[in-house]
């Protein structure tokens, strides 16, 4: 939420002539003298340059040094075993699905150069190119440097955590078409929850009512799907519903030859890869159902993130919030109560705004132009950070690649004269799991079934790109909007008719903050429902995005004139780890809210 330190009543006096700060007095002085126009312009340029230098100093240079951790899989499983534990999809592979060691080393060499090496020297196996590894080298002109943002090391290939996350993914593949509303009575959901609870190392919920959800504040309350994926939103005079056509209930990449072809960069029949010229997209490949409905299953969420603009759900949420009608209890409208904002109006913004959020008083600097410009405007900044961790640090294999190693262990394959069970040290929690056994019995494969014909994109798994976007954009929404506002008419799709919404059976107290968090996890874990991301990809990605947003919000406040508003202001929001933080032009407090801290303490 955004605060300025002066209430709206004080702000009104600002516009009627309250005392000015040094900035304002300087403006008056600039206008005097024979060359007033030129002098004013010169002084303005000087102050603008000072602000930009300040941004560089505060955001980039006042940063504690830290060492970026890595799981060392790249060196543990090196060229002697063809880097089988590292990402390689799109490179040439042998018949066992292991990458050509020379090709992998060419990729690693290009990424290791300070300003990038010879990316053209990286061999490409099929028609699908690697997805822009060059972007891992790029710089940002706003916020933190993308190569200087902390994330924990990805779980190692042989860890119990990696095995546990794969167990969850096998269960998610089996349960993709079970409606969320049926979880309480579904025997398979109960079996999944019980197995997850018994794993050696698993960080997700293990209660049948909360399985496959996130663990941050609010996401285990109410329906599985966020209200911001149900409610109508308005774009000017156009009102849009959030019904869509889900994918057909088909499992892909369950045949080994199909799996191997995809690893070698080929697009299977019905392929949907948008990065390959001439190939059909998810919308025109003929693999979606004819009828629209609201999202009710994991496959529905996988459909949503299969071909969406990554900031789209958060912009929609902002449009829903800014157009809420408090006296309209229809299921399609978001009705709110318990607003902390004073004065009339329906925009659920923080009461500390120095302007009325419902009139043009704050049109440019605050309210709509503020959050709308950030939601889309920092997309490239957080994408660069995701790409740095994906390509230069972790290169974690996609779940489908991990599934290929599982396939060889289960089938007793010999790889280079070595039993696959000896070559691939997969934790027993996965190999002995009910999830894997049920997949073999029901789908006749030990590969990880995919929701998309071509599986994952051609870039590494950790952290999730959608998760980094979710972390960044959800943080912006929480900073600008009143998270304590209560949704008085929460809905869910009618179990008998998912083309309509109903308030029946939704008794939980839902807040704007909780539903923003739920939106972030819905979109991020939707990639797990597709079979293309692990749980920890989301856990790390949300927090990388949160760090980016916090730094950009601080920069945004440095652009404000203390003379015009009485203060540069501050933002407050609750982090994904449950800490309430304040972001000001001076940084973030408490400093320990992020570990390692985003900025060194002043003084």
């Amino acid at each position: 939420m955004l605060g300025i330190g002066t209430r709206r009543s004080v702000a009104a006096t600002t516009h009627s002539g309250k005392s000015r700060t040094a900035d304002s007095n300087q403006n008056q002085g600039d206008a005097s003298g024979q060359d007033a126009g030129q002098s004013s312009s010169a002084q303005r340029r000087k102050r603008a340059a000072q602000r930009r230098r300040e941004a560089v100093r505060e955001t980039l240079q006042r940063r504690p040094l830290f060492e970026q951790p890595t799981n060392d899989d790249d060196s543990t499983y090196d060229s002697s075993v063809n880097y089988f534990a590292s990402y390689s999809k799109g490179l040439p592979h042998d018949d066992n699905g292991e990458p050509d060691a020379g090709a992998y080393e060419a990729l690693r060499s290009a990424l290791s150069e300070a300003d990038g090496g010879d990316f053209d020297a990286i061999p490409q196996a099929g028609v699908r190119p690697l997805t822009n590894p060059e972007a891992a080298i790029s710089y940002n002109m706003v916020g933190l440097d993308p190569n200087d943002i902390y994330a924990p090391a990805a779980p190692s290939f042989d860890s119990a955590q990696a095995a546990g996350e794969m167990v969850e993914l096998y269960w998610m593949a089996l349960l993709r078409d079970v409606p969320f509303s049926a979880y309480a009575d579904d025997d398979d959901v109960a079996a999944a929850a019980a197995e997850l609870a018994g794993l050696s190392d698993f960080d997700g919920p293990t209660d049948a009512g909360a399985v496959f959800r996130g663990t941050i504040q609010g996401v285990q309350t109410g329906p599985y799907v966020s209200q911001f994926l149900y409610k109508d939103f308005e774009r000017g005079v156009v009102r849009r519903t959030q019904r869509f056509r889900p994918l057909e209930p088909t499992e892909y990449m369950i045949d080994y030859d199909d799996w191997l072809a995809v690893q070698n960069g080929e697009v299977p029949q019905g392929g949907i890869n948008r990065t390959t010229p001439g190939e059909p997209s998810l919308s025109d490949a003929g693999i979606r159902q004819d009828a629209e409905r609201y999202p009710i299953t994991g496959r529905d969420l996988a459909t949503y993130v299969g071909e969406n603009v990554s900031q789209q759900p958060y912009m929609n949420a902002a449009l829903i919030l800014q157009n809420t009608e408090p006296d309209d209890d229809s299921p399609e409208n978001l009705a709110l109560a318990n607003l902390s904002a004073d004065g009339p109006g329906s925009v659920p913004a923080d009461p500390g705004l120095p302007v009325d959020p419902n009139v043009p008083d704050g049109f440019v600097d605050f309210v709509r132009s503020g959050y709308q410009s950030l939601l889309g405007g920092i997309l490239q900044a957080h994408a660069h950070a995701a790409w740095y961790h994906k390509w230069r640090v972790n290169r974690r294999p996609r779940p489908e690649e991990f599934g290929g190693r599982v396939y060889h262990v289960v089938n007793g394959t010999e790889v280079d004269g070595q039993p696959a069970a000896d070559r691939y040290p997969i934790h027993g929690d996965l190999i002995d799991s009910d999830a894997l056994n049920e997949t073999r019995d029901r789908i006749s494969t030990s590969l990880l079934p995919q929701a998309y014909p071509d599986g994952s994109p051609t870039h590494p798994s950790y952290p999730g790109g959608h998760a980094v976007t979710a972390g960044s954009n959800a943080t912006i929404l929480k900073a600008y909007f009143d998270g304590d506002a209560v949704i008085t008419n929460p809905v869910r799709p009618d179990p008998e008719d998912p083309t309509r919404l109903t308030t029946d059976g939704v008794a939980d107290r839902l807040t704007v903050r909780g539903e923003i968090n739920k939106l972030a996890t819905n979109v991020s874990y939707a990639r797990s429902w597709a079979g293309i991301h692990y749980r920890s990809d989301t856990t790390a990605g949300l927090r990388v995005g949160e760090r980016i947003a916090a730094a950009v919000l601080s920069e945004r406040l440095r652009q404000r004139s203390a003379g015009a508003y009485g203060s540069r202001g501050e933002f407050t929001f609750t982090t994904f780890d449950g800490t309430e933080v304040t972001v000001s032009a001076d940084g973030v407090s408490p400093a320990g809210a992020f570990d390692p801290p985003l900025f060194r303490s002043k003084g």
Side-chain angles (χ1 to χ4, degrees), residues 376-391:
I378 65 170
L379 175 62
Q380 194 173 66
H382 52 69
H384 282 156
W387 254 235
Y388 160 69
H389 282 285
K390 283 174 177 288
W391 286 109

Side-chain angles (χ1 to χ4, degrees), residues 22-33 35-37 39-40 43 47:
D23 272 357
S24 299
N25 290 329
Q26 183 65 58
N27 285 340
Q28 293 175 355
D30 291 345
S32 63
D35 299 320
S39 175
S40 176
Q43 290 298 319
R47 288 196 302 277

Side-chain angles (χ1 to χ4, degrees), residues 506-589:
V506 189
D508 292 305
R509 183 180 185 273
L510 305 182
T511 66
V512 166
R513 180 186 301 110
E515 292 304 291
I516 290 172
N517 282 342
K518 190 185 293 181
L519 174 65
T521 57
N522 282 162
V523 174
S524 302
Y525 289 127
R527 305 288 275 181
S528 294
W529 280 114
I532 65 176
H533 270 299
Y534 310 88
R535 174 171 286 271
S536 58
D537 295 350
T538 286
T539 304
L542 289 175
R543 288 154 178 83
V544 169
E546 185 176 54
R547 287 169 175 267
I548 295 164
V552 171
L553 287 168
S554 183
E555 279 192 357
R556 176 60 62 94
L557 293 174
R558 294 190 199 109
Q559 300 171 13
R560 302 291 174 260
S561 169
Y565 292 106
S567 167
R568 284 185 172 183
E570 59 188 25
F571 293 96
T572 61
F573 63 89
T574 302
T575 69
F576 295 121
D577 291 320
T579 302
E580 184 169 306
V581 301
T582 299
V583 178
S584 69
D586 292 327
V588 176
S589 63

